[in-house]
């Protein structure tokens, strides 16, 4: 799934920050065409699960972060089969996160995620 959430608009005038700050570097990269065409975030839900009740916020922030770097963003969440409830699936899908169910074996999601990153 390709998420289509607009990136934040940059200020029309550069801020008066030192040029070695991360924000200033990001604006410089943006102005010089340093933004990628597409980016993918690989999210291991087995090792980094949001606290209960914050699933929507975390998923949205992942998508939002991806759009800070590219015009097209993919966020893929990996979890062992049977570990993600129906509510969480609905939330992930609603914000454009692709859920990849992995084998229900120890480190199953790590193996699938690693393979996807290499490919």
């Amino acid at each position: 799934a390709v998420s289509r959430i607009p990136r934040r608009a940059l200020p029309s005038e550069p801020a008066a920050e030192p040029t070695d700050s991360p924000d200033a570097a990001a604006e410089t990269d943006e102005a010089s065409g340093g933004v990628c065409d597409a980016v993918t975030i690989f999210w291991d839900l087995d090792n980094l699960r949001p606290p209960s009740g914050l699933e929507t916020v975390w998923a949205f922030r992942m998508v939002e972060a991806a759009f800070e770097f590219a015009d097209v963003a993919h966020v893929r969440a990996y979890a062992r089969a049977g570990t993600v409830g129906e509510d969480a699936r609905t939330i992930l899908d609603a914000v454009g996160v692709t859920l990849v169910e992995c084998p229900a074996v120890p480190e199953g999601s790590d193996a699938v995620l690693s393979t996807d990153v290499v490919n």
Side-chain angles (χ1 to χ4, degrees):
V2 177
S3 301
R4 299 276 180 204
I5 299 173
R7 292 185 16 223
R8 290 186 195 151
L10 293 175
S12 57
E13 295 181 25
E17 295 181 19
T19 57
D20 61 344
S21 76
D23 290 336
E27 288 179 14
T28 302
D29 288 346
E30 175 90 11
S32 65
V35 174
C36 302
D37 291 331
V39 67
T40 301
I41 293 179
F42 298 89
W43 181 10
D44 185 346
L45 283 171
D46 288 342
N47 291 321
L48 184 61
R49 179 115 12 193
S52 182
L54 295 177
E55 294 89 349
T56 303
V57 173
W58 278 43
F60 181 80
R61 296 296 289 176
M62 288 281 185
V63 172
E64 186 180 55
F67 278 107
E68 291 294 319
F69 298 96
D71 295 326
V72 176
H74 304 273
V75 179
R76 297 175 58 89
Y78 295 77
R80 284 176 287 141
T83 61
V84 177
E86 205 53 45
D87 289 343
R89 287 172 188 277
T90 302
I91 290 166
L92 292 172
D93 187 54
V95 296
V97 175
T98 302
L99 177 64
V100 179
E101 281 198 271
C102 304
V105 297
E107 308 306 323
S109 59
D110 292 338
V112 175
L113 187 151
S114 298
T115 301
D116 282 0
V117 167
V118 171
N119 291 325

